[in-house]
């Protein structure tokens, strides 16, 4: 499990310390329940937390155990939502609590550390998405036949297009923090492609050289072993962006489901974009954080479904 | 945007699906997951094991269901083991097809399976006539209304080996697949190419099917300045299953999922604001629940088209 706290620079850590409140839990005590409104996150210092999920029919299944150095409930820092898991102390637990309001005031204070903190939390959520996706893929490998999609054909590759995506980007959550001139700047960094059905954009096991944003049409993410569809990615969705953020290879193969208009952002440009050099960087990172949380919620739903169907 | 709920399981009083849960179906005239009000009426088919006939109770009214005193009274007294119910939403425009003939669910004379639809087929006016060539004339003769949904129902039945007989799960999946292929082909011939949502809930007394399908997903009209058109998630369809659907400490939910599954609820959005315990039907797939004695078996199938 990732040590969020240790990954911070000393100056960011010192700034964060001002907002952390010590808290302790007895064995069996819940930090929060699935369905609760989110309020803040817990940085575990000692002990173990078990994360569980309630499935349809109210059956409870374990999802993960986390220990010292890990954040629990980190989605709360970025977005008001409902808890998607229950967190219970396995033994005695000592932790530090970070209230979402405090975290957001730190971000809104426009301090130099804010960008790094936001990037760390976004990366943490992206890693959780990646781990949850791994758990789903392991489950899908146990599926009986009947849900496999057609084999991936060698479809025609995407072709450059002169389509102007700018009028449409404002509708997408990824760009919700961006002003029009930010979107214009982003479009200059990216390239527009038209891709026919079955074009393969990213392959499982490979570190892609590009990230893709769907402007129109749809992609699908396929489990490489069972050939079961893991996700459908429509307008506004991204493929490869979260993997790029945390520097990991693809776990699914991503291909075009419905002829699509796409924005391609090469990895080099993506890394430049995520350097804290401009207003665009900060605003895009907010959008990527929102995308990571959305992905986390989607993946948790899929994991619950697949566990339910396997039971 | 229409809303639909279906149930197979132990006998349940209808108001436990329609009105008592905090997001029960008839409360969805103002749905949680869509901004549009559903004001065009309500329809329901309900089967009961004790009935002398296997024909369902049929109820349809263009009254907004939350104000329908007859429905309220009926749902407090009547119980059923299978329910298919639908709240209709249409555009707020003259000519949108408001009227009793267009209320779902549809069940043609002689047909085993009934159908309710959530979604819409874009450019339907262009394909209505060409579609007739793919529909069994005995079914085409029974079309009374003007909706895309009723044509889709007739087209779906036409793809079954024998629509007057019970159908196996595999036959239903193949018929769904064939239905979508015909729609895709006919739409292509007339140049219709924008997103069409086809969440179809199909049932008879012992089989319930929830298909979450979309043609041309993500393909919005060009040019478009409607954010709702441009950023439009894949239309949802949810289910929960367990021993019994009841109200406990944490509100309405399926309970005892670790025991034999005896009940399944399928709905275009969860019947409770707390969505814990509800899961989505996979995209381009169908969930099929079959009653076998007191048990309900649930399987998921990819629908290729």
């Amino acid at each position: 499990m990732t040590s969020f706290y240790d990954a911070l620079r000393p100056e960011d850590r010192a700034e964060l310390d001002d907002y952390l409140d010590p808290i302790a839990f007895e064995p069996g005590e819940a930090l929060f329940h699935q369905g609760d409104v989110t309020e803040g996150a817990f940085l575990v210092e000692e002990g173990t937390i078990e994360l569980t999920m309630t499935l349809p029919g109210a059956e409870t299944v374990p999802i993960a155990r986390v220990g010292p150095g890990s954040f629990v409930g980190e989605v709360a820092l970025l977005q008001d939502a409902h808890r998607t898991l229950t967190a219970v102390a396995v033994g005695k637990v000592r932790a530090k609590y970070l209230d979402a309001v405090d975290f957001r005031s730190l971000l809104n204070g426009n301090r130099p550390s804010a960008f790094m903190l936001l990037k760390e939390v976004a990366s943490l959520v992206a890693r959780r998405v990646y781990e949850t996706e791994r758990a789903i893929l392991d489950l899908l490998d146990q599926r009986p036949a009947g849900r496999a999609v057609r084999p991936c054909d060698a479809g025609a590759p995407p072709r450059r297009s002169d389509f102007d995506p700018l009028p449409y980007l404002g509708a997408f959550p990824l760009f919700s923090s961006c002003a029009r001139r930010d979107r214009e700047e982003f479009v200059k960094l990216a390239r527009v492609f038209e891709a026919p059905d079955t074009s393969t954009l990213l392959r499982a096991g490979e570190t892609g050289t590009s990230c893709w944003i769907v402007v129109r049409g749809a992609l699908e993410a396929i489990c490489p072993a069972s050939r079961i569809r893991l996700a459908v990615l429509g307008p506004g969705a991204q493929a490869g962006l979260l993997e790029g953020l945390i520097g990991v290879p693809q776990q699914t193969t991503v291909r075009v489901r419905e002829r699509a208009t796409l924005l391609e952002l090469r990895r080099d440009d993506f890394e430049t974009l995520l350097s804290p050099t401009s207003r665009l960087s900060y605003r895009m990172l907010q959008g990527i954080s929102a995308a990571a949380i959305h992905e986390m919620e989607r993946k948790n739903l899929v994991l619950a479904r697949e566990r339910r169907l396997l039971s | 945007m229409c809303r639909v709920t279906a149930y197979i399981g132990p006998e349940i009083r209808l108001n436990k699906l329609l009105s008592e849960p905090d997001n029960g179906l008839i409360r969805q005239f103002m749905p949680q997951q869509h901004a549009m009000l559903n004001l065009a009426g309500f329809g329901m088919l309900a089967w009961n094991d004790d009935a002398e006939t296997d024909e369902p109770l049929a109820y349809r009214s263009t009254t907004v269901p939350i104000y329908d005193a007859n429905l309220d009274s009926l749902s407090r007294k009547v119980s059923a083991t299978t329910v298919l119910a639908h709240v209709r939403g249409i555009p707020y425009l003259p000519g949108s097809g408001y009227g009793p003939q267009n209320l779902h669910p549809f069940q043609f004379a002689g047909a085993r399976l009934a159908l309710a639809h959530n979604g819409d087929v874009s450019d339907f006016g262009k394909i209505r006539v060409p579609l007739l060539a793919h529909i069994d004339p005995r079914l085409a003769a029974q079309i009374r209304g003007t909706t895309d949904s009723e044509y889709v129902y007739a087209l779906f039945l036409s793809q079954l080996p024998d629509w007057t007989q019970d159908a196996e799960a595999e036959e239903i999946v193949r018929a769904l697949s064939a239905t979508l292929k015909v729609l895709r082909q006919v739409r292509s011939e007339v140049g219709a190419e924008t997103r069409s949502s086809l969440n179809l809930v199909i049932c008879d007394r012992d089989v319930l099917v929830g298909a979450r399908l979309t043609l041309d997903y993500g393909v919005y009209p060009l040019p478009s300045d409607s954010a709702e058109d441009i950023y439009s998630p894949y239309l949802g369809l949810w289910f929960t299953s367990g021993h019994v659907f009841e109200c406990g400490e944490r509100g309405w939910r399926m309970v005892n999922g670790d025991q034999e599954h005896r009940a399944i609820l399928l709905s275009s959005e969860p019947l409770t604001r707390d969505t814990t315990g509800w899961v989505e039907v996979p995209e381009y797939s169908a969930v099929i629940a079959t009653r076998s004695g007191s048990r309900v078996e649930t399987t998921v199938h990819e629908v290729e088209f």
Side-chain angles (χ1 to χ4, degrees), chain A residues 226-239:
Chain A
S226 64
R227 290 210 341 266
I228 293 174
R229 182 184 305 102
L230 187 67
V232 175
L233 311 170
Q238 54 74 33

Side-chain angles (χ1 to χ4, degrees), chain B residues 26 50 98 102 110 142 164 172 177 185 190-191 201 219 304:
Chain B
I26 67 168
D50 294 335
Y98 176 79
N102 286 335
Q142 295 197 55
T164 66
I172 293 173
S177 178
Q185 177 204 325
V190 301
V201 182
V219 183
E304 284 196 358

Side-chain angles (χ1 to χ4, degrees), chain A residues 57 215-217 229 298 305 308, chain B residues 218 220 241 257 261 277 280 302:
Chain A
V215 178
R216 190 167 179 257
R229 182 184 305 102
R298 297 292 312 159
R305 177 180 72 214
R308 160 67 191 86
Chain B
Y220 46 81
S241 58
H261 282 215
E280 277 190 302
E302 169 78 6

Side-chain angles (χ1 to χ4, degrees), chain B residues 4 45 47 60 84-86 103-108 111-118 147-157 176 179 198-204 209 211:
Chain B
V4 59
L45 297 173
W47 289 257
R60 292 183 183 87
L84 175 57
H86 183 273
L103 291 172
H104 308 214
F106 301 100
Q107 188 178 32
F108 289 158
R112 294 292 300 172
L113 293 167
L115 176 145
H117 173 206
N118 170 206
T147 64
D148 51 359
S149 309
E150 195 174 10
Y151 279 74
V152 169
Y153 173 53
L155 179 62
F156 163 73
L157 289 180
L176 281 169
T179 301
L198 287 142
N199 283 1
L200 305 174
V201 182
I202 299 162
C203 80
D204 68 13
V209 181

